[in-house]
Amino acid sequence: MRIEIIGTNYTPSNQLKELIGKKAAKLDRFFSDGDTAKFVCSQVKGKDRFTLEATIYFNGNMLRVEETSDNIYDNVYVIIPKIERMIRKYRTKLDKKLKEDAFSEKFLASEDVPVKPEVVKNKKFGLKPLSKDDAISELELLDHDFYLYLNENTGMVNVAYKRKDGNVGIIECVY
């Protein structure tokens, strides 16, 4: 697996890059050589808070985890186990897309606000036709609060979102 380490509003030190590389090497058992892990280190403007975002691209899919704390080095120690838990949780769906030997018995047994909001980023992406269950799985894999998709039954745009009570809601757009 290829590892990319990028800094945004923050310049990662060589020591941090080595730590990320060492810890991310544990993920090699899940992903093939052609897959990419992108780590983005950033500092929250005006504060001593650091964010580490890991995005792994594999077989046309994406897995994303983010952690923010006062110490960027602590984020590294939190983010890798988060990825492993996510893979373990969704292993039935992911095992077809990851390396064949990714799920060894040893691994499976182990446990491990602005005052006025402003638009700071615009994104464009294509919508995939998915079922509700697949959209909910994608929502949890990406670790986002919502997931926009094309309902494969109706052909309409839907939004799957995480509710405060821990459940998932679906918004069906009518236009």
Side-chain angles (χ1 to χ4, degrees):
M1 177 171 63
R2 193 174 85 234
I3 298 172
E4 298 176 10
I5 302 170
I6 300 167
T8 307
N9 298 331
Y10 178 78
T11 304
S13 67
N14 288 336
Q15 183 181 5
L16 178 62
K17 289 179 181 180
E18 288 175 18
L19 179 64
I20 291 171
K22 179 182 171 188
K23 295 296 180 181
K26 292 180 178 181
L27 302 175
D28 280 342
R29 65 179 163 209
F30 304 112
F31 303 102
S32 61
D33 293 336
D35 298 334
T36 303
K38 183 177 178 181
F39 291 87
V40 179
C41 308
S42 59
Q43 183 174 7
V44 178
K45 289 184 181 179
K47 297 183 181 178
D48 286 337
R49 306 255 322 145
F50 300 93
T51 299
L52 180 62
E53 177 184 325
T55 308
I56 302 173
Y57 302 95
F58 63 100
N59 296 339
N61 294 307
M62 180 174 45
L63 191 74
R64 183 184 172 281
V65 179
E66 183 177 314
E67 186 66 29
T68 301
S69 74
D70 295 338
N71 187 338
I72 191 127
Y73 292 93
D74 291 344
N75 292 347
V76 177
Y77 290 103
V78 172
I79 211 163
I80 299 300
K82 263 188 175 181
I83 292 170
E84 289 178 338
R85 282 191 302 272
M86 191 178 289
I87 290 170
R88 189 179 298 118
K89 184 175 179 182
Y90 294 102
R91 74 175 183 251
T92 54
K93 180 177 180 182
L94 294 175
D95 65 359
K96 297 173 189 164
K97 299 174 184 176
L98 298 171
K99 277 185 172 179
E100 288 181 20
D101 58 345
F103 297 106
S104 65
E105 292 301 318
K106 179 181 174 186
F107 173 73
L108 293 176
S110 68
E111 282 301 321
D112 292 309
V113 181
V115 176
K116 182 179 177 188
E118 60 180 310
V119 177
V120 294
K121 190 174 192 178
N122 287 325
K123 285 188 175 183
K124 293 181 182 181
F125 63 95
L127 296 177
K128 294 182 194 177
L130 297 171
S131 68
K132 286 182 183 180
D133 292 334
D134 289 340
I136 292 169
S137 294
E138 291 288 329
L139 169 73
E140 292 172 344
L141 280 173
L142 292 175
D143 194 29
H144 281 211
D145 294 330
F146 69 94
Y147 184 75
L148 191 66
Y149 69 99
L150 195 63
N151 187 317
E152 68 182 5
N153 297 327
T154 64
M156 304 292 267
V157 175
N158 289 5
V159 178
Y161 65 96
K162 291 181 183 177
R163 296 174 45 92
K164 290 181 182 176
D165 62 5
N167 293 316
V168 174
I170 301 288
I171 298 174
E172 296 180 356
C173 300
V174 179
Y175 46 94

